[in-house]
Amino acid sequence: MQPHHSRAASCDGDAIRHDDEAAFNCHQKQSPHKDDKPWHSYDTVFLNAKAGMDGVDKEKVQKVVYEMSKGSRYFENEKRKEAVVEQRIDRLRSQACLITAAGLASLEKENPSLKGKPMAVGGLSMICTANYEARKFGVRAAMPGFIARKLCQDLIFVRPDFEKYSKYSELTRQVFREYDERFIARSMDEAYLDVTDICRERTISGAQVAEEIRHHVYEKTKLTCSAGVGPNRLLAKVCSDINKPNGQYVLPNERSAIMNFISALPIRKVSGIGKVTERMLKDVLGISTCGDLLQNRYMISALFSPISRDFFFSVGLAIGGSEPPQDEPRKSLSNERTFMATTDESFFSKKLEELAEALAVDMAKEGLQGRTLTLKLKTASFEVRTRAVSLHQYIFSKSDILLHASKLLKAEVPLSLRLIGLRLANFKGEMFACLSPSQRTLASYLNQNTSPYKTPGVTDICEYETMNSMPHRESSPKSIDQDNENEDLRLSFKAHVGRRLNLSYKSDGLQNPNYKHEDGQVVTSKRLDRDPLTHGTLQQSLLKPGETYLAGEEASIVLQRRGIDSCGSHFESKLCASWDSMEKPSTSLNVDALTCKAESEMGFRSSLLDSIGIEDQVAAESSTSILQIDRSTHVKSEATNLLQTSSFTWIEDFRCSVCGIEVPAELISIRQEHEDYHLAQLLQEESGGMGLWSNHNDSFQKQIGKRCLREESGTRRKLSKKDANCLPIDAYFVKNRFSP
DNA sequence: GCGGATCAC
DNA sequence: TATGGTGATCCGC
């Protein structure tokens, strides 16, 4: 682990400081060599390190990519987008200055002759993936074939064969299923397994499970893979990338190991942080590692949205999902085609008809109807435009799709296009199938049978030395605190680590699910994450109410800030995360394709319970306005009266008088949701004529009990008649909001 | 709700 | 000569 980390750190971090290395850093706009070596300013994703690319001559890659690209329309469009990113960076920078001023201070085995030779799946216009011999030259997925060939003269192009990939993919799944029935297939060549139970039952380590799985995959397919083992999927995923191809990495299941690991981890390694986000964080705040995310938490809090901020913080805290997979319902379905750029409107019509046809077929296959149709266009200069309509009725037929798509397109012509696409969304019935993220938070909160402040087993409490024990460069929160009298900064960290191991699987080769032939024909694979085989087995509940599965450390973190902002307004912000001891111990595995690797994740699970920032307060205050939007002010005041006359109150300011759930006053948004929940129940009872919620005399307690049980099982199935009296709160709101 | 953008694979 | 397709999500209107 250490060698890996030191290598990664020097790669990413040092590039900022040393001039000679800055040559490789395309973000250094003011490089003195700019005119001599113009390719240095061409920001390309192809330089981002990918497995098997150690020792690549980056200078050469960058130069070739630049030389082959410059002057093209694509290139010009990239420059345009680059300029926009620059603007965003400038804007963030100036904001940052203000804040500071304010004191806030599978192929080879079948064709042996190809073994050991550089190969790429794809053609001259685009390649899908490349083997490790090719990667040594800088060739990689998503690179145009003509550039790849320039980098590697002897590159052998092979045609994709999705039938074959599906076959092998299914074989690997058969193996995974033996270790975790409910494994998550993220694509054809990547999967997450929860191997906690296997480890415990057989008293073996995550490493052993990973070895075993990789071995079995090889036996069955003769394909190698890589794996990573860790306490949650975020970490398992990162780990699976470390020793590929054909290797594995286990992150020790200890808090110190995890914190060391995460703090040195370059942010770009984290799934969800891409080229742009990396630049934002690096150029504005100098953040390059996940540890930096916590060091800069105040600036992040001030500069980014609550959603981004919570995401960044959870990354810095190594918090990642390890809970059972969710059967996410599909939210949209689309079809798009690229062709030679043209202005020929009869050609557009022909394409549009083909697309409408294909989309109608796909919709019919899944029995879907949608009411939002989106037309996507890419101009000859690579600019992407979308145009959407939301209809009053649901559509799915070719004729309906074509009718509305044609109207959308008509408003855009004349213009030169290289791509047309159609998408349908807002499906009929989808409001019953999904819960919004915030509601999931409430659900998970209700699932706890102890107050977050009263959970037993807290063994370790440290005041922010714990955080400072992580490597950092900048001033500690304490110094900020001292510098500004208006600030009341407090950070407490109570640590306790569970034992959930996650294994993540990722193929070393095959990656992209779709591929366009040179003749323009597109081969589309099925979305394997929708594979019915991975679904429908989620009924079984892992947790039993009232049972504590893990006696151990309890962790929670509270970031709190009070003070006066630059405008003189008082504010208070707070972030609270906790690792609950209710968590059933588990292990998750991430495995990778032509090669496979297993990693062990450290076993703690945590959830951001609450985050009330400056912006959040506004959100919390307005959260009841959902009723205004939906039903009218009159109904809202009526409902509020209902709530007031229902003897609803917070006993001792933390216990709900209706259902007994304990919610500390600090968790404002959670409380708001909880109140809304009871409010909705009252409204439901008042408007019993809706027919969705049968007349009943069940106590709130009983209803919530059912709700908890259902959600605990991890299912997101459509409501059966039996469940009619357990209509999710969101279904109630959504139904009213969208009823025509 | 719309449109642009980012991200993963 | 030449830079993909599908789906999700977020942000700022």
Side-chain angles (χ1 to χ4, degrees):
Chain A
M1 162 165 135
Q2 296 315 332
H4 161 72
H5 280 149
S6 51
R7 189 179 64 224
S10 67
C11 227
D12 257 49
D14 293 351
I16 295 176
R17 287 184 286 275
H18 305 310
D19 257 354
D20 50 348
E21 291 190 39
F24 296 111
N25 188 325
C26 34
H27 309 147
Q28 298 294 307
K29 275 193 309 177
Q30 290 109 347
S31 166
H33 309 301
K34 190 179 176 182
D35 293 328
D36 300 344
K37 301 177 177 178
W39 54 88
H40 287 158
S41 63
Y42 183 41
D43 196 2
T44 168
V45 294
F46 301 127
L47 286 180
N48 181 38
K50 200 153 164 58
M53 298 189 66
D54 292 341
V56 165
D57 182 348
K58 291 186 177 178
E59 177 79 11
K60 182 184 169 193
V61 173
Q62 197 172 7
K63 186 175 175 189
V64 168
V65 173
Y66 173 80
E67 293 295 341
M68 299 299 289
S69 300
K70 71 176 174 193
S72 71
R73 286 161 158 175
Y74 175 82
F75 180 85
E76 293 304 321
N77 190 61
E78 286 297 297
K79 286 212 301 201
R80 179 189 63 80
K81 292 200 297 187
E82 168 79 10
V84 175
V85 171
E86 293 288 350
Q87 280 178 9
R88 287 177 62 185
I89 286 173
D90 285 346
R91 215 165 39 232
L92 277 183
R93 270 189 173 139
S94 50
Q95 282 183 45
C97 287
L98 281 178
I99 290 163
T100 307
L104 227 190
S106 86
L107 290 164
E108 290 159 0
K109 81 180 171 75
E110 287 183 4
N111 200 340
S113 68
L114 294 177
K115 193 160 183 135
K117 296 186 178 167
M119 291 182 343
V121 178
L124 281 185
S125 60
M126 180 60 64
I127 66 177
C128 200
T129 188
N131 67 358
Y132 282 74
E133 278 72 25
R135 292 187 196 188
K136 287 175 192 161
F137 294 88
V139 174
R140 52 164 290 173
M143 181 180 273
F146 66 91
I147 292 180
R149 196 172 58 178
K150 192 81 179 180
L151 286 168
C152 175
Q153 302 292 35
D154 299 325
L155 188 64
I156 298 166
F157 289 89
V158 298
R159 293 282 150 197
D161 182 346
F162 283 95
E163 272 187 34
K164 195 195 292 176
Y165 304 155
S166 298
K167 189 183 103 190
Y168 284 105
S169 179
E170 176 47 34
L171 288 176
T172 64
R173 286 163 193 220
Q174 287 171 13
V175 175
F176 301 154
R177 212 164 284 128
E178 290 170 26
Y179 291 83
D180 176 13
E181 255 193 6
R182 314 183 315 153
F183 76 95
I184 308 171
R186 276 208 61 172
S187 60
M188 274 206 246
D189 68 348
E190 186 171 357
Y192 293 97
L193 285 71
D194 187 334
V195 294
T196 311
D197 295 341
I198 287 279
C199 287
R200 199 178 37 211
E201 284 161 19
R202 297 173 47 192
T203 20
I204 52 174
S205 67
Q208 288 170 305
V209 175
E211 288 281 4
E212 210 177 289
I213 291 174
R214 293 175 49 231
H215 181 71
H216 284 174
V217 167
Y218 185 78
E219 289 286 293
K220 211 150 188 163
T221 65
K222 297 300 172 203
L223 298 173
T224 64
C225 60
S226 307
V229 184
N232 58 43
R233 289 196 294 272
L234 180 147
L235 293 167
K237 165 92 175 149
V238 174
C239 289
S240 70
D241 225 41
I242 293 176
N243 281 326
K244 67 170 48 171
N246 198 15
Q248 63 184 52
Y249 181 87
V250 178
L251 179 58
N253 193 3
E254 295 151 16
R255 192 167 61 84
S256 61
I258 293 157
M259 285 308 175
N260 286 335
F261 183 88
I262 200 75
S263 64
L265 187 69
I267 50 174
R268 188 66 165 84
K269 296 281 182 189
V270 175
S271 181
I273 297 183
K275 189 176 94 169
V276 175
T277 310
E278 181 189 32
R279 281 208 53 184
M280 297 285 171
L281 291 171
K282 198 170 276 183
D283 290 7
V284 178
L285 297 175
I287 291 172
S288 57
T289 68
C290 296
D292 294 341
L293 289 171
L294 291 187
Q295 300 304 325
N296 290 277
R297 57 189 172 275
Y298 301 101
M299 290 301 275
I300 287 176
S301 236
L303 291 174
F304 292 93
S305 73
I307 288 176
S308 302
R309 175 238 293 158
D310 283 0
F311 171 67
F312 292 143
F313 285 176
S314 60
V315 168
L317 291 165
I319 294 167
S322 57
E323 69 281 4
Q326 291 138 4
D327 189 359
E328 297 280 356
R330 172 193 283 286
K331 293 188 176 61
S332 71
L333 207 157
S334 66
N335 253 278
E336 64 190 56
R337 289 295 113 93
T338 295
F339 41 81
M340 293 274 286
T342 175
T343 56
D344 180 353
E345 290 178 28
S346 64
F347 180 83
F348 296 162
S349 300
K350 200 185 87 193
K351 277 292 158 198
L352 209 55
E353 187 176 341
E354 289 169 12
L355 288 165
E357 162 104 43
L359 186 55
V361 167
D362 290 348
M363 290 290 284
K365 243 185 255 175
E366 304 211 25
L368 293 169
Q369 302 182 30
R371 55 180 280 268
T372 301
L373 180 70
T374 304
L375 172 72
K376 176 176 172 180
L377 306 174
K378 193 189 279 181
T379 66
S381 56
F382 287 86
E383 178 201 350
V384 176
R385 288 184 208 170
T386 58
R387 297 291 178 259
V389 272
S390 289
L391 309 164
H392 289 298
Q393 72 201 50
Y394 293 98
I395 62 167
F396 63 95
S397 70
K398 175 185 171 183
S399 55
D400 282 339
I401 294 171
L402 192 54
L403 173 71
H404 294 104
S406 301
K407 287 187 200 165
L408 290 173
L409 182 58
K410 195 162 281 176
E412 302 299 317
V413 290
L415 81 175
S416 180
L417 295 177
R418 67 180 341 270
L419 172 145
I420 300 180
L422 288 176
R423 169 181 310 258
L424 268 172
N426 256 324
F427 296 140
K428 192 172 184 175
E430 83 175 356
M431 65 282 281
F432 293 101
C434 66
L435 294 166
S436 76
S438 62
Q439 283 153 343
R440 218 177 298 142
T441 302
L442 175 57
S444 68
Y445 190 80
L446 291 172
N447 276 340
Q448 299 182 14
N449 62 354
T450 52
S451 150
Y453 288 172
K454 295 184 176 180
T455 314
V458 176
T459 60
D460 180 19
I461 301 176
C462 0
E463 295 291 329
Y464 66 77
E465 285 73 19
T466 307
M467 304 300 291
N468 289 340
S469 69
M470 277 179 275
H472 65 281
R473 290 188 290 256
E474 301 192 3
S475 59
S476 69
K478 201 170 189 173
S479 68
I480 299 175
D481 201 5
Q482 289 164 342
D483 288 349
N484 190 331
E485 293 175 356
N486 286 334
E487 296 286 337
D488 171 13
L489 295 168
R490 185 167 68 89
L491 172 64
S492 67
F493 188 86
K494 307 171 193 173
H496 175 97
V497 177
R499 288 292 178 271
R500 178 169 282 272
L501 281 179
N502 282 273
L503 187 54
S504 141
Y505 157 94
K506 175 79 170 67
S507 138
D508 288 335
L510 175 66
Q511 285 170 3
N512 293 321
N514 301 294
Y515 168 73
K516 192 184 91 172
H517 284 294
E518 273 176 89
D519 63 8
Q521 186 196 353
V522 176
V523 179
T524 303
S525 66
K526 281 218 173 94
R527 294 290 301 184
L528 291 162
D529 51 1
R530 307 256 165 232
D531 190 335
L533 291 171
T534 66
H535 297 307
T537 57
L538 312 177
Q539 309 294 327
Q540 186 188 351
S541 173
L542 273 182
L543 298 176
K544 290 179 191 148
E547 187 171 342
T548 300
Y549 288 89
L550 184 68
E553 291 173 289
E554 164 88 9
S556 74
I557 180 167
V558 179
L559 295 168
Q560 191 172 307
R561 189 154 56 82
R562 264 192 227 105
I564 299 172
D565 66 20
S566 50
C567 304
S569 307
H570 286 270
F571 69 87
E572 188 172 337
S573 84
K574 181 167 182 165
L575 175 105
C576 182
S578 94
W579 290 256
D580 61 65
S581 61
M582 292 284 298
E583 181 57 38
K584 185 180 179 179
S586 71
T587 299
S588 165
L589 169 77
N590 182 9
V591 194
D592 234 332
L594 305 182
T595 308
C596 167
K597 158 187 169 185
E599 44 193 322
S600 160
E601 292 183 318
M602 139 178 169
F604 68 68
R605 168 197 173 212
S606 71
S607 55
L608 291 180
L609 274 187
D610 187 23
S611 63
I612 307 293
I614 304 168
E615 308 92 334
D616 292 314
Q617 284 191 338
V618 179
E621 280 163 14
S622 64
S623 70
T624 51
S625 68
I626 190 168
L627 286 169
Q628 289 177 305
I629 296 166
D630 294 345
R631 314 215 47 188
S632 84
T633 313
H634 173 67
V635 175
K636 193 219 166 194
S637 63
E638 207 173 90
T640 309
N641 288 339
L642 259 179
L643 195 59
Q644 282 163 359
T645 57
S646 72
S647 80
F648 176 93
T649 181
W650 292 103
I651 302 169
E652 293 171 27
D653 204 30
F654 73 92
R655 183 181 297 115
C656 171
S657 62
V658 179
C659 67
I661 282 289
E662 294 171 8
V663 185
E666 292 86 346
L667 307 187
I668 298 168
S669 61
I670 300 276
R671 272 207 189 196
Q672 188 64 60
E673 283 180 38
H674 190 77
E675 288 170 17
D676 285 349
Y677 177 66
H678 287 315
L679 191 56
Q681 286 184 313
L682 287 165
L683 285 167
Q684 289 280 12
E685 295 186 340
E686 285 293 295
S687 58
M690 304 222 10
L692 291 166
W693 204 311
S694 60
N695 290 331
H696 58 85
N697 295 316
D698 286 353
S699 66
F700 285 123
Q701 190 78 47
K702 197 170 166 190
Q703 284 193 23
I704 287 184
K706 284 183 190 173
R707 185 176 156 80
C708 289
L709 279 180
R710 194 176 71 251
E711 284 168 4
E712 233 168 43
S713 72
T715 64
R716 293 212 166 177
R717 65 189 193 278
K718 288 178 182 172
L719 289 176
S720 66
K721 282 181 184 170
K722 220 171 62 183
D723 289 323
N725 63 342
C726 284
L727 185 68
I729 187 170
D730 56 298
Y732 175 79
F733 286 129
V734 175
K735 179 170 177 53
N736 281 287
R737 181 158 54 235
F738 291 122
S739 48

